[in-house]
Amino acid sequence: MASFYRVFGLILIGLTVFFNVSGQDSVTTVAVTKKKWFETFTIRGYVQTRYNRLLETNPNLKCEQCDRSWGGNGGFFLRRVRVIIQGNISDRVSIYIQPDFASSAGGGLNYGQIRDAYFDLAFDEKKTWRIRVGQSKIPYGFEGMQSSSNRLPLDRSDGINSSFVNERDIGAFLYWAPAEKRELLSRLTEDGLKGSGDYGVAGFGVFNGQSANRPDQNRQVHVVGRFSWPTQLSNGQIIEAGIQAYTGKYTVADTTRGVKLINPEASYKDERVAASFTLYPQPFGIQAEYNVGTGPEYDPATNTIQQKKLQGGYFIANYMMKPGKMVLIPFARYHYYQGGKKFELDARSYQVNELELGAEWQINRNVELVAMYVFSNRRYEDAANPDNKQSGRLLRLQAQLNF
């Protein structure tokens, strides 16, 4: 009988161990079960509605690249209708797709068009090194990479933004950033400090060079490089300084009949270098950039598109206040540009001097209002309008919905 009890006891102990181990395994299995790739995806976006006619002194004053409802018969206007789909396909592969449903074409409004469509492949677990392939923003200029939903002025400055249409192109880009710098770059946007997003602290890439949603014209790629270093000082203030450059050949495709080109291929050297500096608003902030280079530009005296030097940049001062749960940021920006815009008719020649005084009012995380009074002096000339100098003032308004 004693032996029976010993055997029976051993059986009970064995069963107890078995069920305990089995239960632990099942719990562990639940804990480590990973989400399916489509369960990691998020959908977000924003809508910007504008009105530019208040206190307007010159309806002939326009900015084609800025806002097509500025001047002329412009009224209420959807500047951007963006929907962003992004997620992780695996631990090291992510995807990002952003269409815009406020594009204009042929005199019509609100057509859909791809802005971003790319994937990132990380080389290590912390994603210190990653390569981006597809249509995306070109790592050139702090303001160029900064999302329009974060930027204070309603449009990017002519000096920096004249480098690329919609700031994007199709290509491949290699980014590097230590984990602590990636965390800081992410925090600058999440905390509402008007960061530019995570494009690494160093970036290098090759791309078509004709800008987004346009086919290559000369079978020669552009090359771009950028280095930027954000730093948090001992007093908590965050600064970021950077330098960037690109080079390539650009083919002018939109010309008026009779305009002469410097060569039959209409191909021009397209090169720039820029310096950037940002003092993030805590509460006072500064943002400044300047670039110099060369590119195609229309010459009214000879009715030709020539290779010419260009230069321009901007300076922004702002101050962040937080009354209650809201955010109010008054700002002032001066920007200047002299040179051509290669992607406009006849590589249109520009000289811009503009001062903007405004404020962004964030009622909550979903609704933002911006009012901006503009003092503008613009010369923009092409073969169809070779003597065109416009100046004036206007109050520009924008309501933005974030979702």
Side-chain angles (χ1 to χ4, degrees):
M1 180 67 71
S3 61
F4 169 78
Y5 283 121
R6 283 196 296 270
V7 171
F8 183 74
L10 291 172
I11 292 173
L12 287 178
I13 293 172
L15 289 172
T16 302
V17 171
F18 173 80
F19 283 112
N20 282 340
V21 171
S22 299
Q24 290 174 1
D25 285 346
S26 63
V27 171
T28 303
T29 301
V30 171
V32 300
T33 298
K34 295 183 179 179
K35 292 182 178 180
K36 296 181 175 63
W37 64 269
F38 54 83
E39 294 176 326
T40 70
F41 275 44
T42 60
I43 299 177
R44 58 186 176 87
Y46 61 100
V47 178
Q48 293 176 342
T49 303
R50 294 186 182 176
Y51 189 73
N52 296 309
R53 302 307 302 273
L54 286 179
L55 306 179
E56 182 183 53
T57 63
N58 181 4
N60 295 320
L61 176 65
K62 302 179 181 181
C63 178
E64 180 177 305
Q65 188 183 7
C66 306
D67 185 334
R68 292 181 184 270
S69 68
W70 179 352
N73 296 317
F76 286 101
F77 183 71
L78 290 175
R79 180 67 173 93
R80 291 176 178 86
V81 181
R82 302 283 177 88
V83 179
I84 302 167
I85 304 169
Q86 67 179 122
N88 297 317
I89 297 177
S90 69
D91 291 339
R92 298 192 183 185
V93 179
S94 61
I95 189 171
Y96 187 103
I97 298 175
Q98 179 181 209
D100 183 18
F101 297 99
S103 300
S104 57
L109 300 176
N110 306 327
Y111 293 91
Q113 189 179 74
I114 289 293
R115 283 293 182 263
D116 296 282
Y118 62 82
F119 72 87
D120 280 1
L121 171 62
F123 297 158
D124 57 281
E125 291 183 359
K126 294 185 177 181
K127 300 181 179 180
T128 302
W129 290 93
R130 57 201 161 104
I131 188 169
R132 177 168 296 175
V133 180
Q135 180 165 294
S136 67
K137 284 188 175 180
I138 299 164
Y140 182 84
F142 181 95
E143 188 185 52
M145 295 180 297
Q146 187 183 38
S147 171
S148 301
S149 62
N150 291 333
R151 191 181 61 249
L152 287 171
L154 296 187
D155 295 301
R156 293 179 173 89
S157 65
D158 289 73
I160 301 297
N161 205 34
S162 57
S163 53
F164 306 107
V165 175
N166 297 320
E167 308 81 48
R168 295 165 169 86
D169 209 331
I170 301 176
F173 305 91
L174 177 66
Y175 293 111
W176 170 79
E180 64 274 14
K181 294 300 180 184
R182 293 201 66 202
E183 189 277 331
L184 179 57
L185 290 170
S186 178
R187 182 154 52 91
L188 289 171
T189 54
E190 292 176 358
D191 292 350
L193 295 178
K194 305 300 180 182
S196 64
D198 184 0
Y199 292 86
V201 296
F204 174 82
V206 292
F207 55 99
N208 282 341
Q210 292 296 128
S211 294
N213 299 313
R214 298 185 181 188
D216 188 30
Q217 298 288 332
N218 53 30
R219 293 186 294 179
Q220 296 187 50
V221 297
H222 275 53
V223 179
V224 64
R226 173 180 179 264
F227 181 80
S228 185
W229 194 259
T231 302
Q232 185 162 15
L233 305 178
S234 58
N235 62 359
Q237 191 77 52
I238 303 172
I239 62 173
E240 182 175 352
I243 187 169
Q244 50 263 294
Y246 75 82
T247 182
K249 288 280 189 177
Y250 185 87
T251 299
V252 177
D254 189 7
T255 59
T256 305
R257 180 178 297 179
V259 171
K260 301 174 184 177
L261 304 168
I262 63 170
N263 58 58
E265 292 80 20
S267 184
Y268 294 79
K269 185 186 297 184
D270 182 23
E271 294 180 343
R272 297 193 185 200
V273 60
S276 311
F277 177 80
T278 302
L279 170 69
Y280 288 96
Q282 296 175 293
F284 177 71
I286 290 173
Q287 185 177 316
E289 292 188 275
Y290 202 85
N291 72 167
V292 296
T294 182
E297 180 182 354
Y298 178 72
D299 181 49
T302 59
N303 195 36
T304 60
I305 299 176
Q306 299 183 5
Q307 186 78 46
K308 290 190 175 184
K309 294 181 179 179
L310 58 86
Q311 60 176 327
Y314 67 90
F315 177 87
I316 300 176
N318 58 88
Y319 192 90
M320 180 179 289
M321 298 179 287
K322 296 184 178 181
K325 295 184 178 181
M326 298 182 292
V327 178
L328 181 64
I329 311 176
F331 64 89
R333 179 178 75 172
Y334 171 75
H335 66 109
Y336 164 82
Y337 178 60
Q338 183 169 2
K341 290 196 178 182
K342 57 194 177 188
F343 40 78
E344 292 188 8
L345 178 65
D346 301 328
R348 189 173 286 133
S349 176
Y350 274 83
Q351 182 169 334
V352 178
N353 285 277
E354 205 160 82
L355 174 66
E356 299 152 330
L357 305 175
E360 178 182 281
W361 178 25
Q362 300 175 21
I363 299 175
N364 52 47
R365 294 185 68 88
N366 302 109
V367 179
E368 300 176 11
L369 303 177
V370 177
M372 189 173 80
Y373 194 72
V374 182
F375 302 83
S376 182
N377 191 328
R378 290 175 170 264
R379 174 187 62 79
Y380 44 109
E381 299 171 336
D382 51 49
N385 201 352
D387 185 14
N388 185 30
K389 302 177 181 66
Q390 305 292 341
S391 61
R393 302 179 301 279
L394 69 156
L395 178 64
R396 307 182 63 195
L397 304 174
Q398 174 180 281
Q400 177 172 305
L401 171 68
N402 305 307
F403 60 88

